[in-house]
Every structure is written in structure tokens, then in C-alpha cells.
Amino acid sequence: MDNYIFQGKDIVKKFGNYIALDNVNISVPKGSIFGLLGPNGAGKTTLMRIINQITAPDSGTLIFDGSKLERKHISKIGYLPEERGLYKKMKVGEQVLYLAQLKGMSYIDALNKSKYWFEKLNIINWWDKKIESLSKGMAQKIQFIVTVVHEPILLIFDEPFSGFDPINASIIRQEILELSKKGTTIIFSTHRMESVEEICNHIALINNSKTILQGSIQNIKEKYTKNDYEIMVKKGDLKNNESFTVKNKEKNKYLISIHQEEKYKSILSNILQENEIVAFNKKYPTVEEIFINAVKNE
Amino acid sequence: MNKIWLIIKREYLVRVRKKSFLVMTILGPLLLASIMIIPTYLANQNQEKRIIAISYENSDITNQLIDSEYINFSFVPKLEAENLKTDFFDSKFYALLECNNDTFFLTSNQQISINVKSEIESQLAKILEHHKLKEAGIDLKVLENAKTTIKLSTKIINEKGMSSNSKTEIIMGIGFVSGVLVYMFIFMYGTMVMRGVIEEKTNRVIEVIISSVKPFQLMIGKIFGVALVGLTQFILWIILTIIISSLAEVLFLNNNFNSDLNAQQSSVILSEISNINQYLNLEAIFFSFLFYFIVGYLMYSALFSSIGSAVDAEADTQQFILPITIPLIISFILIQPIMENPDGPLAFWMSMIPFTSPIIMMVRIPFGVNSWEIICSMIILIFSFIFFTWIASKIYRVGILMYGKKATFKDLYKWINYKE
């Protein structure tokens, strides 16, 4: 129980006749970087809003850090919504202080922490500028600070990298990884599978208002693997035979599908008799492939 | 509670620091003061005497014209009169009066002032009237004696049986001004709340904020923050208006006023003002003004904020705003008829209905309204405020997260029924 920062059981949320979440179960392990995946309209945003207590579910249990999710917990959660923005006419520093205090920080704490983050991201000279005078990417940095300034133990990012240029995106990614190392649990939803692959260690896949897949990336990949191996040989020519099929060929790099998993040793020795193997490794499906497969099979 | 306070503080400071607030605060009293001062000032400026030329020929009627404060009549030979028509500029005359049987002409090279025209008209009318009466054989002295003026002085008997002089004009003035002020306050600051809500929605800052506070806290904080802005502006207006008008009076008016008349007038006005307290309960009026001013605003601004939450842009507010503004506009239009019959059934019911009571009741109170009626109307208003704030907050919490789709009244009704 205590290994999870957030657990939702049988969450149901309806808007009129529309069912946004249909008995969704989700467990977010402490300290994990948790990717929340799913096509548009699957219910990801609704789920994130429920964790943030912006909306309440019609039924279901919500456990935060071992106890029932309550109003007081919002100071321990940081949320970067997909639809984000700041007061355009307000000065940057004032705005960060205001939003930090709304999260329950004292003025002094808020001031110290904001200054810390402004210095860390090297933007202390923006303190007295108005948001409307900043570029979109600059505003996103401020938005990031607003999300993390109150030192939450759970951070929720909805599409965190949209709107960032590659340089700033990598700065933010570094900050997220650093926070994760310090023990903050991070949930983030994104469509960009390569970033999931890069930084997530757990994922949940939501489709049509239901969770259809969840667990650690490694376990899920094991589950979805199809006895595909990548093999690189010195001289050419591997042909289909009774023990494997060649799926793809690129120069001397082959993708083969072994019919019976346990026979790979004998296959290898067979090949070795006539050829020299440079590389041989199991080919796991990418998250993207799993995602597309799982959604199709629904 | 602490968070609501933070929100109130932000909403207040952001608006008070705006340049437009400063401009409005200074312009408002200037405007008010100028409305009060300029007419008196202008009226006292026209002291220059005007000389009207009259051709000798028509002397049998025109010679009875008497010089007035600002008009002198001067007779000129016919030839000079004819010359005048072509050459006004070099002459000392303002206009030329001619008479042809019962038709009169006033010729000038410039637009003839309304004062001059009406003065001459009334003198001529009087002269002709006297002529006709004489011809009919009526003695003017008899007629003079028969003229009677009545001054009706009105009195009110209060509950203790004491009678006091009533001053209908002053009562109407107080009722009208406070009614209009309530109307303006609700309109200006109610829509200010609405714009604030729309701003948060279009900025997309809303979701960040309601991940920290409840939508209701945000709504209430905004409403009270703007209320404080309004009160601040109102108080500044009063202070500035007093300063500006007393300054202006010292600077412009005293030099020009006929000092005797002025002293006399102002002493009359002063005694009137000191007498107001005898027939008007000023404290009660002031208290009820504050009450209707604030609670009326609170109820309306809750409704305005729910409208703001339901739309994506200010341009879309029209369809929702209309049902809210209609009762306001109706009460504004009815101020005049209500003042003529402040105790009629229309006045009674409109001061019970919470949408119209803030304005209509304020118009009526200076005339004297039964205390049970006032208490009843206040209680209804308080409960409506609570009720509509509750309804509005239900629309608000759903509306602020809705983008893209244009909401209808049916949608709003659905949102009210959503569970949290």
C-alpha cells in the first residue's frame, strides 16, 4: 500500500450521458516517472483533474500517500495543465508568488523558493517583467516554476514539452529528471512516445475511458514481445527455414522471428556453422508499437 | 479563508493600480463637478448689455418696451434702421426690432441668444395683452388685485404625531441620486467581474488556479475584490467632488455672483440642509443605501460571473446578459414614475422583487417607507443573494473548464445539475 503515491480504484466519471472514465484503476508507484498514455479524448485529462480535485469522480476510491485523498493534499501536488496560461498583465515575480501562496506557502517561503528557481533557470532578470512581454517559450518556463515551486511530492504534467523549443525542452527534461532523483513522483501524459521511452519507467494506457494496460515499461515490453531478434552477420544470406522467418533485411542486419523461443540457442549454432555473428539481441517492441497495437486490439 | 483573502487582495490591487482606474477616479468627479458648476458659471457670464435698435415708426407698441438687466432698447431713425440691415458689424447694436402690424421681426448678423428672444417676446406679449384688455374695457387695476398666489406648504405627520415640513424636491433628489448610483455601481462593477472571469478563461490561467483553490473561492474572492475597488472609487469620488466643487466655487463663482444675492441664496440653502435631518432620517437612508448598494451588487455580480464562465469571449455574452440587464434597465426607467407614486402597488412589488429592489427601494426610502417593508425587502434580497450565488457557482465551476462549444441556456441548466 505504502509503495504507491496515488491509487485510484473503480473511478467512474460521467458528464451527462457521456462516460469519461469507466471503472478506471490506476496505481502510481512512489518515485516513479509514470507515463499516462492514450489517444485524444480517452479520459486522461479527466483523470488528472480528478487527482487534482478540480473535479470529483461519481464513484471510486482515491488514495493519496496512504490516506484518503483530501483537500489538504493539493499543496503536495503540482499540476501543469495542457491548457495553460498566466495573467498577462501581471509581473512575473508577483505572479509566481501569488500562485505559490495559493498552494499554501507562506510569503517568505514562496519568495525564497521562487528566487531559487529563477536563479536556477537563469531568468532572475525577468522578475519585474510582465508576462505579455515574454515569448511563449519564456512563459512556459515561468509556468514550470509555478508548477514546482511549492515542492510537491507528486508532479502532474499534461503534455509538458509542447510549446518548448528543443533547447528549452531538454532543460525542462533535465529538471524533471533531477526532481525525480530527489524522490518526487512524476505523472505525465504525452503523445510523444519517444519521450515516454526516454524518461518513463511506468506507464498506463487509457483508451475509451478504460485502463487497458499498466505496469513497468520493462514488464509490459516483455509481455508484448514476439520472439523477434536482431541479428547481424559478417557475410550475407539468412533464409527462412523451419525454425525462423526473416522479417526484414538491411544489408547484413536481419530481423528474424523465431518460431519457438526456447530454440534460439540451436538456431544460433546452426548459423555459426556457416557464418560469423557480429551482434544478436532480442528485439523489444517500442512503446509506440505497443500503444498502437493495444488501441487497435480494443 | 486565507486563500480567499489572497484572491481578494490580488483582484483589488491589480485593478486599483491600472491607469484606467486613476483616470476614472479623477475624471468622474471632474465631470460631476462640471455638471454642477458649468451651468451656473455660464449663466453668470452673460452680463454684457445688448443694445437693440428699434425703428421710430413702430413706436406706439415698442416704446413701451422696458430696458432689462441685459437688454437696452434704443430708438433709431428709419433710414439708419435700413442701413443697419446691411452693416451690423460697425454699429453698437446687437439686433434690430421691427414691427409690421402684429408681426415682429428681430434681425441680427449673429445667432440671437435665446434669453434676448424670450425676453422681448414676453414683453411684447404683455404689452399687446394690456392693449386688448383696455379695448375690452377691463380695468387693469381690478385685474391686478384679482391675481392671487398660493404657496402650498406640505407637512407630514409621523408615527409620534409630530408634524414636520416636507421638502419634496430634496427627497426626490436624494431618492433619484441614490437609485441611479446603485444602478451605475451594479452595472459597472458587475460587468467588471464578468470581464475578469472571461480574462482568466481566455488566458487559460484558470486551471492552474483551481488546482489550488475551489472555484467557489475564486469566484467569491473576485466578487469581493471588485466590490472593494468600487467602494474605493466611490469614496474617492465623493472626497474629490467635494474638494473640486468647493475649490471651483471659490475660484470662479464668487467674483461673478451678485454678492448680496449669493449670500442670501446660500444662507437659504444652508438652512435647508441643516433642516433635512428634521424630516429625513439620514442615518437610515445612508445605512440602507450601503446595504442595497453592496448586496444588490453582490447578487448581480454572482450572476455576471456565471455568464463570464459560460463564454469564451466577451462578444458571446450578449444572449446571456440580456435577461440580467432587463430588470436593471426597467428599474432605471421606472425611477420617474415611482417617484410620482412612491406608495403604489408597482412601487411596492418592485421593491420586493430582488432584481429591482436595490434601485427602486433606494428611490422610495427618502419618501418614507414602512420599516416592515424595508426589512422584508432586505431579507428577500439577502436570501436571493445566497440562492443566486449558489446557482451561479454551480454554473461557474463547470463553465470555466468548457472551451470551444457555445453554451446555451439548456447547457447552463444541465451544468447546475452536475454533481461536483
Side-chain angles (χ1 to χ4, degrees), chain A residues 1-6 28-33 65-66 153 183-185 202:
Chain A
M1 215 29 183
D2 279 334
N3 294 327
Y4 295 109
I5 191 87
F6 175 80
V28 182
K30 252 184 203 169
S32 63
I33 303 186
D65 202 11
I153 58 172
T184 314
T185 312
H202 280 73

Side-chain angles (χ1 to χ4, degrees), chain A residues 93-185:
Chain A
E94 250 172 44
Q95 181 143 228
V96 174
L97 285 182
Y98 171 64
L99 293 169
Q101 288 181 79
L102 281 190
K103 273 288 185 189
M105 288 182 106
S106 71
Y107 178 80
I108 294 294
D109 266 2
L111 186 67
N112 289 335
K113 291 294 172 217
S114 333
K115 292 268 183 192
Y116 163 81
W117 275 105
F118 273 69
E119 268 155 23
K120 194 159 195 284
L121 295 179
N122 221 351
I123 54 171
I124 194 75
N125 53 331
W126 296 358
W127 188 268
D128 279 326
K129 285 188 179 164
K130 282 185 179 174
I131 292 284
E132 60 186 351
S133 69
L134 300 183
S135 74
K136 203 182 166 199
M138 290 157 109
Q140 295 276 34
K141 273 190 178 173
I142 308 294
Q143 194 100 45
F144 177 77
I145 295 179
V146 166
T147 315
V148 299
V149 69
H150 57 290
E151 301 187 317
I153 58 172
L154 174 62
L155 275 168
I156 302 174
F157 295 104
D158 199 350
E159 294 291 349
F161 303 120
S162 68
F164 277 113
D165 58 72
I167 295 165
N168 280 321
S170 96
I171 292 173
I172 295 301
R173 185 161 49 238
Q174 281 313 310
E175 296 299 337
I176 292 176
L177 289 174
E178 203 172 304
L179 284 165
S180 168
K181 270 187 200 135
K182 285 181 187 158
T184 314
T185 312

